[in-house]
Amino acid sequence: MKPTLYPSAHIAELFFPLANDEKAILQVIQQVAVTDYYQGFETGIIKHPEIAKTIRSIAQQNHLHVTQWLTFELLRDNLNLSSLDSALREKSIRRACELVHLAAECGTTKLSLVSGSDPGDARREEAKKGFGEALIRIGEAVKQYPTMLMQVEPLDRFAHKCQLIGPTDETVEWMTTLRAECPKLYLAWDSAHVALNEEDLADSLRLAAPLISQLHLANAILDPQAEGYGDYHMKFGEPGFLTPRTAAHIIRTALSLPLPPELGPISIAVEMRTTEQDDLWDNEKQCRAFLQTAMAEAVQEA
């Protein structure tokens, strides 16, 4: 069976100015649900029980997949799941496990997170060991919800975010070993971070394919000497590398690979962060059109 992708709305980024207004996020989800295009959406963690219940109901009624990110909550509290400080790491794990249960109230199927900062060559393996132990603990909480999986997004190692979990080859080796104890662990692939790690996009996809649970089409400026170099969740197109043609290449490559068969279709979303000065719904329409164009071109050339 050939892999398939379904379009997802990255609400947490497209509607970033509303991130702390859960009622407003609920209204966005209600609108997204009736677009007759998206089959999933991504948000941060929702804390209000009634809003979570309503989101779960909307998702069920409209057959929408729910992805939620722990990242915003952990960063807000200065927590770090890969910290070399064992006390801070323990505090971070406990909070992450609490957030698993909040995510379940929304009907979340993909619980998403990132590592902390890279401590450098000398202590990297120690940090990876601690992060792996954290994921195993969080994975025990995830196991309570049969339809939920956990996904880690590798970030760039040296360009901007400077995160512990980064280059694809290293990540796949580490994650494959870890899955013996954390079988519901997958990889959220992001084009900007792969490009900033100076990796070939197609090669990265091929390496990661058996673990990939989601794709993000994210843009970045790749010239270290240029203004805006790094991962700033910028709009697609130049001066970044993510043109419609590049996006189609990513999609076409992914569709040719052995993505995890147990997951069925996996999500793909455009990641672009908006500001208070933006017309949020106009930006959503632009991202939707970009994704539609790229997916159509990928299928035509396949």
Side-chain angles (χ1 to χ4, degrees):
M1 181 182 296
K2 287 188 176 182
T4 55
L5 307 176
Y6 66 82
S8 180
H10 199 333
I11 292 172
E13 296 291 342
L14 288 174
F15 295 87
F16 187 75
L18 307 179
N20 295 319
D21 186 342
E22 294 189 356
K23 289 183 179 179
I25 292 296
L26 172 58
Q27 291 176 345
V28 171
I29 291 170
Q30 290 169 328
Q31 188 66 30
V32 162
V34 298
T35 60
D36 199 31
Y37 177 66
Y38 296 113
Q39 297 174 40
F41 58 85
E42 303 180 36
T43 72
I45 296 297
I46 300 295
K47 298 176 184 176
H48 192 285
E50 285 304 313
I51 293 177
K53 183 179 178 181
T54 303
I55 290 173
R56 184 186 187 114
S57 177
I58 292 169
Q60 289 174 342
Q61 290 171 11
N62 293 277
H63 308 290
L64 296 172
H65 302 271
V66 183
T67 297
Q68 289 193 312
W69 288 85
L70 303 188
T71 311
F72 306 105
E73 290 297 322
L74 297 179
L75 289 175
R76 185 178 292 124
D77 295 334
N78 295 312
L79 299 175
N80 182 351
L81 291 167
S82 62
S83 175
L84 293 169
D85 179 338
S86 59
L88 176 58
R89 191 169 69 250
E90 177 63 26
K91 181 180 178 182
S92 304
I93 293 168
R94 290 177 182 271
R95 180 56 179 154
C97 289
E98 292 172 358
L99 295 173
V100 171
H101 304 303
L102 287 179
E105 293 301 309
C106 279
T108 296
T109 53
K110 294 179 184 177
L111 187 77
S112 316
L113 51 108
V114 300
S115 66
S117 59
D118 178 42
D121 294 344
R123 303 193 72 181
R124 185 174 298 132
E125 291 307 311
E126 180 186 351
K128 285 164 68 177
K129 183 175 184 292
F131 186 44
E133 291 170 356
L135 293 178
I136 290 168
R137 292 262 303 277
I138 299 166
E140 289 299 315
V142 170
K143 281 181 184 177
Q144 297 176 45
Y145 305 101
T147 61
M148 187 187 293
L149 61 80
M150 179 168 56
Q151 56 182 14
V152 171
E153 181 181 61
L155 303 188
D156 54 273
R157 171 66 64 74
F158 58 85
H160 180 189
K161 299 299 175 63
C162 303
Q163 293 283 292
L164 172 67
I165 301 302
T168 306
D169 55 352
E170 181 184 316
T171 300
V172 169
E173 181 180 0
W174 168 79
M175 190 174 287
T176 300
T177 301
L178 186 59
R179 289 183 95 227
E181 295 182 81
C182 193
K184 299 184 77 173
L185 178 64
Y186 290 85
L187 186 151
W189 188 92
D190 182 290
S191 60
H193 295 297
V194 171
L196 287 166
N197 280 326
E198 299 181 356
E199 301 179 65
D200 180 85
L201 296 169
D203 288 346
S204 171
L205 284 165
R206 292 186 189 101
L207 275 173
L211 300 173
I212 291 175
S213 52
Q214 143 175 324
L215 299 171
H216 273 173
L217 297 176
N219 200 14
I221 292 172
L222 303 182
D223 179 358
Q225 305 306 316
E227 183 179 354
Y229 170 63
D231 175 51
Y232 291 98
H233 300 186
M234 65 185 289
K235 186 177 180 178
F236 47 81
E238 297 180 349
F241 75 93
L242 189 71
T243 62
R245 188 168 185 81
T246 301
H249 171 62
I250 291 168
I251 295 167
R252 186 165 56 252
T253 302
L255 290 173
S256 72
L257 295 172
L259 302 175
E262 68 274 15
L263 299 185
I266 70 167
S267 61
I268 181 167
V270 176
E271 182 174 18
M272 185 178 83
R273 179 169 293 186
T274 54
T275 69
E276 292 181 355
Q277 287 71 47
D278 291 321
D279 181 328
L280 304 187
W281 281 107
D282 182 64
N283 279 298
E284 179 278 321
K285 289 176 184 175
Q286 290 183 49
C287 286
R288 192 193 327 170
F290 178 83
L291 182 55
Q292 288 173 315
T293 299
M295 293 185 78
E297 183 177 330
V299 173
Q300 287 173 1
E301 296 186 10

